[in-house]
Amino acid sequence: MGPGPSDVSPRVLNAMARPTLGHLDPLFIQLMDDIKSLLQYAFKTRNSLTMPVSAPGSAGMEACFVNLVEPGDKVIVCINGVFGQRMVENVIRCGGEAIKVEDAWGQQTNLNKVEDALKAHPDARIVAFVHAETSTGVRNDAAALCQLARQYDCLSIVDAVTSLGGIEVDVDGWGIDAVYSGSQKCLSCVPGLSPVSFSPRAVEFIQQRQSPVQSWFLDMNLIVGYWGQGGKRAYHHTAPVNSLYALHESLLMLHEEGLEQAWQRHQQGHVKLRDGLAALGMQFAVDEAYRLPQLNAVCIPQGVDDGAARARLLNDFNLEIGAGLGALAGKVWRIGLMGYACKDRNIDHCIASLGKVVR
Amino acid sequence: MGPGPSDVSPRVLNAMARPTLGHLDPLFIQLMDDIKSLLQYAFKTRNSLTMPVSAPGSAGMEACFVNLVEPGDKVIVCINGVFGQRMVENVIRCGGEAIKVEDAWGQQTNLNKVEDALKAHPDARIVAFVHAETSTGVRNDAAALCQLARQYDCLSIVDAVTSLGGIEVDVDGWGIDAVYSGSQKCLSCVPGLSPVSFSPRAVEFIQQRQSPVQSWFLDMNLIVGYWGQGGKRAYHHTAPVNSLYALHESLLMLHEEGLEQAWQRHQQGHVKLRDGLAALGMQFAVDEAYRLPQLNAVCIPQGVDDGAARARLLNDFNLEIGAGLGALAGKVWRIGLMGYACKDRNIDHCIASLGKVVR
């Protein structure tokens, strides 16, 4: 019950242990097509360029930036946690200029500040933000931020690592241009894959950009030859075949449950956890209006030793919860209710264990 | 029995299906330490910076180039197949200048040509080459090439994707500065991880380079905080936990068999396959003096339809072999004898099946 990797269902683990097929085997290519369709369902998109990057979420982030940022490009980056800051690092390493819009950790990104930045930088090309900030438990207003980006003729890059499968991510409805997620959060797959999706106008930009994409491994112009539509697949790199079996199975499970039902389950789990923590006198670090159900940042009670308490939870109660990061290190714990792990039994165990450790 | 991914032992598949631990769990960190030691054994090195990159071999290649090449750097790249050409792509995308030393596909890299290039470009900083060219089945003379690099004060970058575990790779003995491999070849692990190792002088360069590494995900200065020595591990990205269980198990199996014994098994398998193919009248595309035992490029017999024959092998005989790539497309097949797949039963089946298909 940390901030991810979340618990993986035995069904997914068993799928992953199937014999390894070749990455150009016709049966495997069929599975790739299924994964694409299932990801389109999860992302609510018809984007043809929708597939998993063969590496963790950080590489998915990098895939979005290296493909969409050219040297000298101005990118407005919203920062209210660790992952907004990591986006800035990506912009700089692509030779771009990051225009930072900063808000306090635990607060939402302020839309007025973003609009001010767009007005002050009419030459900005991209707006980038984190939908669900894993470091703080804050949900940013993705629909409104994407609308602002369109209004000022910018592309949008959205981090949906922790949101996908846990709360609504509406790629087409919100007009997201590039989005990346992670396999190991609310999808409850093993860590190591990063689903991404690019809008037609993002694809058009990538095809026509002036400078080559600086990463060969993440160059979508090349990857599309392997993951693209149609029968013929060209070798680019060797796909992580067994991890893709696992992703396929976890996406099937999401599809069987239904997207809306999965969001509801996360919300119900959050309410149950919230009430249990309130009974223990514990406070949330994030306002309920923009709190993520799947990532609960709670204040460490006064007088409780952060490391010792988490070690006791792990060793005596077989329960992992996450430490605070960056500005919130030592101040909060992060309790994940992600995917397969978001169920009553776990929440009861978490509340009971915390009750023994923090009192 | 293609060019990889190779067959994965049930023992490795079962290890991978163990419950997912957190990437900062003390038990998992112990496993990371074990993986490092086992990789040092496999690479024959004491290099402290020895670990698996959390992505396939192509990303391991990129990790070596983005960390060691600065804009404007001259890199001598030996090309005698697909993967030498991919190295050139990497140099260019790092802003470096690639000095190409080209030999025919199926031939060894010519040492005299490399020395001529080193003399003609006294400002070259790096010599890069592929030890075992997966696209042709050629073994380049890694010891001699590394010695040349040292002699002319260059660092060496070595592609050992297909060699590690199948033939000798002596990182310390040969003085390799940066080396990358793949999990899915002679280690017979699932695809998706790329073991790498950097010499102390490579590490020193990376720490002191003028420009930041252009990839955040592959920046060794950051990754070392997670994979480095010592108790304290800082989060960089979420490690592919289950794939690392698999790598650990496959490295354990290599250690139990013994490195030398594994090389011997690959050589014996090659001899058995060679004799069987000779009895069918089939020719090798590569001279025996520098032929890889684990990757056998054989000429497609006249009058045999490439695609139809491979499809028949796959569908009727449950046997995958590889197509030719690039200059050798349609001319050769590539028969892998890698790791767990290199055993008598497979070789007998391969020869018997080919006997039915090519006649």
Side-chain angles (χ1 to χ4, degrees), chain A residues 62 93 213 215 217 219 236, chain B residues 62 93 213 215 217 219:
Chain A
E62 195 158 316
R93 287 168 193 241
V213 173
S215 168
F217 174 58
D219 186 343
H236 174 256
Chain B
E62 194 157 318
R93 287 169 194 241
V213 173
S215 168
F217 175 59
D219 184 344

Side-chain angles (χ1 to χ4, degrees), chain A residues 11-156:
Chain A
R11 195 175 140 184
V12 172
L13 292 171
N14 287 336
M16 188 176 43
R18 290 184 201 133
T20 308
L21 286 173
H23 55 287
L24 293 170
D25 189 294
L27 283 172
F28 183 66
I29 285 169
Q30 232 173 290
L31 185 107
M32 289 167 67
D33 284 338
D34 285 353
I35 289 174
K36 280 183 65 167
S37 306
L38 290 164
L39 278 179
Q40 286 169 327
Y41 169 74
F43 274 130
K44 298 184 74 178
T45 186
R46 292 181 181 182
N47 287 341
S48 158
L49 187 50
T50 301
M51 33 81 56
V53 167
S54 302
S58 303
M61 179 189 286
E62 195 158 316
C64 290
F65 283 91
V66 292
N67 281 281
L68 289 179
V69 179
E70 293 212 70
D73 279 351
K74 274 192 187 172
V75 181
I76 293 177
V77 182
C78 308
I79 308 172
N80 54 346
V82 165
F83 296 94
Q85 189 54 47
R86 186 173 294 183
M87 285 178 154
V88 172
E89 274 298 321
N90 271 271
V91 172
I92 294 170
R93 287 168 193 241
C94 294
E97 184 187 341
I99 313 294
K100 300 188 204 176
V101 176
E102 301 194 61
D103 283 287
W105 290 42
Q107 301 289 317
Q108 243 187 346
T109 289
N110 185 313
L111 297 173
N112 294 327
K113 285 194 201 172
V114 176
E115 184 151 22
D116 289 346
L118 282 161
K119 284 179 179 157
H121 299 278
D123 54 340
R125 271 201 52 244
I126 297 171
V127 173
F129 65 90
V130 178
H131 183 208
E133 215 353 306
T134 322
S135 64
T136 66
V138 163
R139 175 183 53 75
N140 283 321
D141 189 343
L145 286 163
C146 288
Q147 199 185 339
L148 267 178
R150 292 249 155 180
Q151 195 180 323
Y152 287 85
D153 204 26
C154 285
L155 296 174
S156 54

Side-chain angles (χ1 to χ4, degrees), chain B residues 81-112:
Chain B
V82 166
F83 296 95
Q85 189 53 47
R86 187 172 296 185
M87 285 176 152
V88 171
E89 274 297 321
N90 270 270
V91 172
I92 293 170
R93 287 169 194 241
C94 295
E97 185 187 341
I99 313 294
K100 300 187 202 176
V101 176
E102 301 194 61
D103 283 287
W105 291 41
Q107 301 289 317
Q108 244 187 345
T109 289
N110 185 313
L111 297 173
N112 293 328

Side-chain angles (χ1 to χ4, degrees), chain B residues 308-326:
Chain B
R310 281 187 293 108
R312 208 179 142 209
L313 286 173
L314 185 63
N315 297 326
D316 298 351
F317 298 93
N318 198 28
L319 177 68
E320 183 189 65
I321 64 170
L325 284 181

Side-chain angles (χ1 to χ4, degrees), chain B residues 89-307:
Chain B
E89 274 297 321
N90 270 270
V91 172
I92 293 170
R93 287 169 194 241
C94 295
E97 185 187 341
I99 313 294
K100 300 187 202 176
V101 176
E102 301 194 61
D103 283 287
W105 291 41
Q107 301 289 317
Q108 244 187 345
T109 289
N110 185 313
L111 297 173
N112 293 328
K113 286 194 202 172
V114 177
E115 185 152 22
D116 289 347
L118 282 161
K119 283 179 180 157
H121 299 278
D123 54 340
R125 272 201 51 243
I126 296 172
V127 174
F129 66 90
V130 179
H131 182 208
E133 209 6 297
T134 321
S135 64
T136 65
V138 163
R139 176 182 53 74
N140 282 321
D141 189 343
L145 285 163
C146 289
Q147 199 185 337
L148 267 178
R150 292 249 155 181
Q151 194 181 324
Y152 287 85
D153 204 26
C154 284
L155 295 173
S156 53
I157 296 180
V158 181
D159 178 323
V161 168
T162 286
S163 49
L164 190 67
I167 56 174
E168 182 171 28
V169 178
D170 186 358
V171 170
D172 287 359
W174 298 343
I176 295 175
D177 290 301
V179 61
Y180 57 92
S181 187
S183 48
Q184 81 285 10
K185 306 283 188 181
C186 295
L187 299 181
S188 272
C189 175
V190 295
L193 295 172
S194 178
V196 296
S197 183
F198 294 87
S199 74
R201 65 177 195 156
V203 171
E204 194 184 345
F205 175 83
I206 296 169
Q207 288 169 343
Q208 295 174 2
R209 50 179 288 155
Q210 303 295 308
S211 56
V213 173
Q214 70 188 24
S215 168
W216 187 92
F217 175 59
L218 299 173
D219 184 344
M220 285 295 153
N221 288 311
L222 303 178
I223 292 175
V224 76
Y226 181 56
W227 272 98
Q229 298 295 15
K232 183 105 183 132
R233 306 301 172 111
Y235 162 65
H236 175 258
H237 64 271
T238 303
V241 172
N242 292 72
S243 296
L244 289 165
Y245 296 164
L247 181 62
H248 181 256
E249 197 70 23
S250 68
L251 289 170
L252 267 185
M253 289 175 71
L254 177 63
H255 189 260
E256 286 166 12
E257 176 176 18
L259 259 185
E260 287 80 2
Q261 287 74 12
W263 304 334
Q264 239 167 46
R265 176 168 52 81
H266 283 89
Q267 182 56 33
Q268 286 161 358
H270 165 71
V271 169
K272 183 177 166 74
L273 178 72
R274 181 199 65 192
D275 294 349
L277 293 175
L280 293 176
M282 293 180 74
Q283 311 281 325
F284 274 81
V286 171
D287 193 281
E288 188 143 18
Y290 45 85
R291 190 185 294 165
L292 292 169
Q294 67 269 51
L295 196 288
N296 297 271
V298 297
C299 303
I300 302 174
Q302 284 214 323
V304 171
D305 182 288
D306 176 12

